[in-house]
Amino acid sequence: MEMQTMRNRLPRNAMRLCIDASHAYDVSGRLYSRMTGTYLRFASMAELLLETDALLDEIGSPQAFQRKRIFSTGNPNEMTDIRSTTEQPFNVDGVLEEEMGKCATFELVVQSRMHASWQGFLADPNGVPLGSFESELQLMELVLGALHEIHTNES
């Protein structure tokens, strides 16, 4: 019951980060958004950061501190969208809680985006905080550190 309470304290814009593979200092997997009912696949940490930033812009929560300048050639196929939509938002029936990564699963909460960087915290699947971050680099360190700890405990 306590773990359910911890999970319920997560904000609506919390995202489920499923790590399916970890290699060297990089990861690949899936990121699920409760607010949009979409998920994206990522093949690297860089791709995760870029696509998550685009998703946060789409959601509008948290709102970016600065507006980004976009230079377009007018070609609608300029950027490929790797996000997929599910039939219903994850927050409706708890489908999100069933999604787990092969290596690890985290809850990612971006609370603000000030100075062109993210601030927030990373939690375990039950909503128990693992640490906070003030930048994307600190987020990467948290994820990789947690993965290292998981691999160490399994050995």
Side-chain angles (χ1 to χ4, degrees):
M1 186 64 160
E2 176 65 28
M3 291 303 169
Q4 184 65 28
T5 306
M6 291 293 285
R7 189 180 301 132
N8 289 341
R9 289 186 201 155
L10 290 173
R12 252 182 62 97
N13 70 335
M15 296 172 276
R16 171 78 41 121
L17 177 59
C18 300
I19 307 296
D20 292 328
S22 172
H23 25 70
Y25 293 101
D26 213 351
V27 296
S28 60
R30 299 160 281 134
L31 182 78
Y32 294 85
S33 168
R34 284 181 171 82
M35 291 186 72
T36 64
T38 61
Y39 71 95
L40 59 94
R41 293 185 188 278
F42 56 93
S44 67
M45 188 70 79
E47 189 175 17
L48 168 67
L49 297 176
L50 289 171
E51 290 298 322
T52 303
D53 203 42
L55 181 63
L56 293 172
D57 285 341
E58 180 182 315
I59 293 170
S61 177
Q63 192 172 26
F65 186 69
Q66 303 176 29
R67 292 193 74 164
K68 296 179 185 151
R69 293 176 59 180
I70 299 171
F71 299 96
S72 175
T73 62
N75 181 357
N77 298 325
E78 240 178 298
M79 302 214 22
T80 57
D81 191 356
I82 61 169
R83 285 170 279 169
S84 302
T85 304
T86 59
E87 307 230 343
Q88 52 189 319
F90 290 115
N91 59 353
V92 174
D93 62 0
V95 172
L96 181 62
E97 278 69 28
E98 296 173 8
E99 294 297 333
M100 300 295 281
K102 294 175 185 170
C103 294
T105 304
F106 304 106
E107 295 289 343
L108 172 61
V109 178
V110 179
Q111 295 171 311
S112 62
R113 296 191 292 164
M114 294 184 68
H115 310 294
S117 195
W118 301 352
Q119 297 81 42
F121 66 91
L122 192 68
D124 72 10
N126 297 315
V128 178
L130 299 173
S132 62
F133 55 90
E134 296 292 322
S135 68
E136 290 91 332
L137 181 59
Q138 287 181 349
L139 170 62
M140 291 170 53
E141 290 172 344
L142 271 175
V143 169
L144 295 173
L147 282 170
H148 179 73
E149 189 173 316
I150 290 169
H151 292 306
T152 302
N153 291 340
E154 288 176 352
S155 299

